[in-house]
Each structure stands twice: as structure tokens, then as C-alpha cells.
Amino acid sequence: MTHELITPRLASASSNATANGGWWRDAVIYQVYVRSFADSDGDGVGDLRGVRSRLPHLARLGVDAVWLTPFYVSPQADGGYDVADYRAVDPLFGDLADADDLVRAAHALGLRVIVDVVPNHTSEQHAWFRAALADAPGARERYLFRPGRGADGSEPPNDWESVFGGPAWTRVPDGAWYLHLFAPAQPDLNWDHPEVAAEFASVLRFWLDLGVDGFRVDVAHGMVKAPGLPDIGRGAQATLIGTEPLPFFDQDGVHEIHRSWRRLLDSYEGPRIGVAEAWAPTSDRLALYLRPDEMHQAFNFRFLNCPWDPAAMRTVIDESLAATASVDAPTTWVLSNHDVVRHVTRYGGGAQGLARARAAALLMLALPGSAYVYQGEELGLPEVVDLPDAVRQDPAFHRTAGQDGLRDGCRIPLPWSGTEAPYGFGDGGSWLPQPAEWAGLSVAAQTGDPHSTLELYRAALELRRALPGLGAPEAGPLTWLPAPEGVLLFSRPGFACTLNTRPTALELPSPGRPVLSSAPVETDGRTVRLPADSCTWWAL
């Protein structure tokens, strides 16, 4: 049996055009956490000019679009997800001209641009909330102000807890309480108020007119609350996803909001898309956000949360594909983002975690539908778990006395080049410290190394464009094939994928000609020896 090294790059690639022209249906979209991507002005914080300067990296990587986290005017109480002005760029990140330049530069490279919109809540510094605190006529009706309970109104209006820990209510000096499902600096909006809907329609048009290709909708499942704001009946901390209905998440009323936005998006040439960050308890509930008159995509967090277990993975894949097929929508796969522990660490960390993360990436990119790549996962970056408390900025960390707040560890600024921090991120250090061992994980260090994670991603994305059985749901169904315990094996037209989740290598009949593997495979053309914790793509 000979040792066959998989060719890391194809000589050429062609795009997989989908049958109905929906570019998003098989797109690979790269998430940029703006403050940690690239710093152009030496203040230690990433910015829009920094993103623009690094767009060639994304074009070479082979992604189809870039999603930018919030860069709007904000006090940064929650990394920009507390917006004070939805139509202006925060000076920390640049100005409106920089946003315009970035969109134009991305389009010139063939990259589409998706921006965040945060409709569940505003910043406490938003003009509307400042007016509400001043009790200006009608201002409090745009938010969820309520009187307190108890004889003197000193108890919160109900028993809801914040996702970030502690009560979901804060009392203002005149005795009224306002709702905030996240930090107190993020008061929830009242979507029953017509001015709220009109304002966000105007905000969407503002950015669509600037040229963006769509929106990632933050907390897309959270804008509508159950009538009367009823008690949950338990004093547990709120969670974004659960197995039971919650009176503040995944209420049916959110769908009318998304329908109105879909009509707005469809009124523009493009097409322009909406992506729902919807934490739904089941695949069927998630599919409701993807009906033909609603959002184009929704993040598949069940896949993200799936353990390294083949039976669990197959169940999630089957249920996800069945649910989205019922509404003729693509499934959207994701492994990491700015809110969760990086999957290298979730899969065990160290060499084992990296091997599994590389394999999971090939599995994700082989599945029908669209995929999201979080910045740095193409470098195999792990979670930074030993940050000093003094540098942490996640509000969840401070509200839970350190019991939560792991999000800082996945937001460390990227290493681009060099042997010392800040590794080409910028000339003025980095807002969160970068580990010394990241010198070997930089873009420069991995470029040209056929065994590196970066080159694996580049090769996978190039192959994904070249092989018609990859990505596009319209290319054909996914068919599971018999496989030994611990192994997943499926085929699509002209293509097969094997995932070995075992901690040891094993032999099985060769499904075809190997074209890419997360670890070197040995094959004689008839049988193949699959390495432990690996994924291999096959041409049939």
C-alpha cells in the first residue's frame, strides 16, 4: 500500500451556479469581527480600512461574501451590538466614506458584503432611549417600560433573567422598569410600536442604497414578546435556545417582521438577502424563518453544537436537510462564530482538537447548502482560555462574576505575519493580547505549506467550486452509504465524503479517487487507510 499525498490545489476552478440563480444557496460566507480583523491606524483596534486592506486574503481564500459585525456608532458596551446610531460609522472604525470604499473594493474582487443589523434592542445612548429616560411624551412606548411589582413597585415586573446573567429588568430613578434581555445598556425595543418598524425599514434602505448585499439579523427570534410578558415560572438564567417555548424568544409574531423585510429586500436589484440569527429549539421551528416570503438563510446552531459523535452528526444533518427542503431553502452550516468557543477547543484542543476541526471543516463544506467561516478558523486558531480578568470586555463575564464570558477568547485579533505580537494586525498592539504560540499560525507562516490548515481551506474552497456535487443543493441529494462504526460515508453526484471520528485509523474499501483529505491517507486504489479524526473527499 502506497502513501498518497492529496494535491493541495487545483489548477483551475469554476463556480457552481445554482439552478435558480440564488447566489446564497451554496455560498461560503466569511465572518469578519471588525475590531479583531486588521488595524489600519495603530490604535490596537481593527477598523474598516483594515478590513479593506485584507480583502485580497479573502478573495484568495475563495469565499463568496463577507459578513461584517457592527461598526455603527456605539458605546461598545457589548462589542458594538449596542447601537446608538444605525446610520453612522463609529469613529473607532472609520467613517461612512470608509464603509462605501470597503463595499466597492469588495465588489471589485467579486465579494458580496453582508452587514449586521441589531433590531431587538438599541444602546442606552440611542437618542430614543435618552428621550425615554427623560420621560419625553411617547418616548417610553418605543421600549418596554413597566411598573414594578410589590407594594412599592420595587420588584421587577416579571421573573425573566438576562441572557448575560442577572435580572432582565433595570429600574430608573422615577421607579419605572425597562426590559433588557441582554445587558442593561441594551434596552429592548417594543416592536408593537409602528415607529420602530418604520425606523428599521428606513435603516435597511440606507445601507441597501449604499450597496450592501444583505443583512445578518441579530437575535432574529427575539423582537416579539408574549402578550402580557408572563412569568416563566422558574428563576433560571435566560438562554438563547431551549427545548421549550419562551415568552421572549421564537414567538410567532417575529415572522411578520421578517416578511416585511423580505418584501423590502426583494424591491432592490441583486438579489439582496436576509440571514437570521435565530436560535430555534428544533430544525422544524428554524425552517419557519426560511419560508419563501421570509429570510434567505438561518444559522444552523444545532450543527454548531453537535458533539464529535457520528450518530449525533448524522441525525442533525438529516433533520436539518429535511426541514429546509420542506420550505425549499438551503441549509446553512456553521462551526464557530464570535459568540462561541472556537471549535478547535470545543473538539478537545491540542493536536486532537485541531485534527477534528480540520475534519469538521471538510464535512461542513461537503454538505448541501451554504457555509459560514469565522475569521481565524482557516488558520486553526484555538480559543484563548487564559486571558487575565483585567483585559476581558465581555459584559457576560462581568455580570456573572466570571461564570460566563468566554466570548473574549474567540475574539483575539488575528495573526497575519511576523514572529512577535501583534503579528501584523497593526502597528499599535492589539486590544486583546495574542498568545506567543500564534506566530506559527499566522497567514504568512501557513501560506505555501501544503499541510497547513490555511492551505487546506484554500484547496477545499477551490474544489467546492470545481466539483458539481459539492455545495449546491440543486446538484442532487445526499445519500448515506454503509460504513463501519464511527465512520460517516455519504455520496452526492460524482462525489463522496468519509468522516472517521475514531481515535484510531481504519481500513475500508476505497470509495473512489481521493482528491482532498484533512490528513494524509494511504490507498492502493482498492482499499484506503483513513487516519484517526479525519475527513476525505473522493471523486467518483
Side-chain angles (χ1 to χ4, degrees), residues 415-440:
W416 291 95
S417 61
T419 58
E420 295 181 355
Y423 307 117
F425 171 70
D427 296 330
S430 59
W431 69 279
L432 285 173
Q434 301 156 298
E437 58 269 23
W438 278 19

Side-chain angles (χ1 to χ4, degrees), residues 300-444:
N300 189 348
F301 294 118
R302 292 190 68 216
F303 182 74
L304 182 152
N305 288 322
C306 192
W308 187 251
D309 175 83
M313 290 177 177
R314 178 167 173 171
T315 296
V316 168
I317 291 168
D318 283 343
E319 291 180 353
S320 300
L321 291 174
T324 53
S326 70
V327 290
D328 190 29
T331 306
T332 301
W333 312 100
V334 60
L335 290 169
S336 282
N337 62 36
H338 65 291
D339 283 330
V340 301
V341 175
R342 286 187 177 273
H343 58 281
V344 169
T345 301
R346 294 202 319 271
Y347 289 148
Q352 181 187 63
L354 179 59
R356 290 176 172 179
R358 288 164 58 94
L362 291 193
L363 172 67
M364 174 181 76
L365 293 171
L367 295 171
S370 178
Y372 278 73
V373 173
Y374 177 50
Q375 65 174 48
E377 74 174 74
E378 79 275 22
L379 305 178
L381 297 185
E383 186 82 1
V384 178
V385 298
D386 57 354
L387 284 172
D389 291 356
V391 305
R392 290 185 178 272
Q393 298 190 24
D394 187 350
F397 177 83
H398 298 288
R399 282 179 61 83
T400 60
Q403 298 300 311
D404 201 349
L406 295 176
R407 298 186 305 169
D408 286 322
C410 65
R411 300 175 177 184
I412 309 300
L414 291 190
W416 291 95
S417 61
T419 58
E420 295 181 355
Y423 307 117
F425 171 70
D427 296 330
S430 59
W431 69 279
L432 285 173
Q434 301 156 298
E437 58 269 23
W438 278 19
L441 298 178
S442 72
V443 174

Side-chain angles (χ1 to χ4, degrees), residues 52 55-56 59 104-111:
R52 189 184 65 186
L55 287 176
R104 292 175 183 272
H107 287 169
L109 290 171
L111 298 169

Side-chain angles (χ1 to χ4, degrees), residues 86-294:
Y86 290 85
R87 297 179 182 82
V89 175
D90 195 291
L92 186 68
F93 303 122
D95 56 29
L96 198 57
D98 293 325
D100 184 65
D101 290 345
L102 194 163
V103 171
R104 292 175 183 272
H107 287 169
L109 290 171
L111 298 169
R112 300 179 190 265
V113 178
I114 296 169
V115 299
D116 249 301
V117 64
V118 186
N120 179 71
H121 49 264
T122 71
S123 164
E124 63 180 351
Q125 297 301 317
H126 192 282
W128 278 6
F129 195 70
R130 293 202 305 269
L133 290 182
D135 203 13
R140 291 191 177 183
E141 296 176 6
R142 300 177 183 131
Y143 294 90
L144 293 167
F145 278 82
R146 296 291 186 273
R149 294 197 289 198
D152 58 356
S154 61
E155 296 179 9
N158 64 24
D159 65 356
W160 296 0
E161 296 283 313
S162 164
V163 173
F164 289 165
W169 296 90
T170 290
R171 197 179 193 188
V172 300
D174 63 16
W177 296 77
Y178 69 87
L179 178 69
H180 52 84
L181 291 178
F182 296 89
Q186 296 166 290
D188 278 48
L189 286 160
N190 174 18
W191 271 87
D192 288 332
H193 197 292
E195 290 184 21
V196 174
E199 170 67 4
F200 275 90
S202 174
V203 167
L204 297 186
R205 290 190 186 96
F206 178 88
W207 292 104
L208 290 168
D209 290 342
L210 186 131
V212 305
D213 300 285
F215 301 93
R216 178 265 192 185
V217 183
D218 186 61
V219 196
H221 60 307
M223 291 98 84
V224 174
K225 280 70 175 175
L229 309 184
D231 284 342
I232 299 175
R234 52 182 172 84
Q237 179 179 341
T239 58
L240 284 170
I241 188 171
T243 58
E244 58 183 327
L246 296 171
F248 44 77
F249 284 150
D250 198 32
Q251 295 290 304
D252 289 338
V254 300
H255 297 290
E256 187 50 47
I257 299 171
H258 299 318
R259 290 187 188 100
S260 70
W261 287 2
R262 177 60 178 264
R263 292 191 293 270
L264 192 158
L265 290 167
D266 287 348
S267 71
Y268 280 78
E269 292 184 2
R272 319 293 179 95
I273 71 167
V275 184
E277 185 212 19
W279 293 81
T282 66
S283 295
D284 289 336
R285 287 293 298 180
L286 185 65
L288 296 179
Y289 293 82
L290 297 170
R291 288 175 286 194
D293 60 347
E294 292 196 38

Side-chain angles (χ1 to χ4, degrees), residues 9 57 61 358 377-380 442-449 451-459:
R9 300 286 282 171
H57 167 71
L61 186 61
R358 288 164 58 94
E377 74 174 74
E378 79 275 22
L379 305 178
S442 72
V443 174
Q446 295 195 43
T447 293
D449 178 357
H451 305 292
S452 72
T453 301
L454 175 58
E455 293 297 350
L456 176 70
Y457 269 76
R458 286 172 172 168

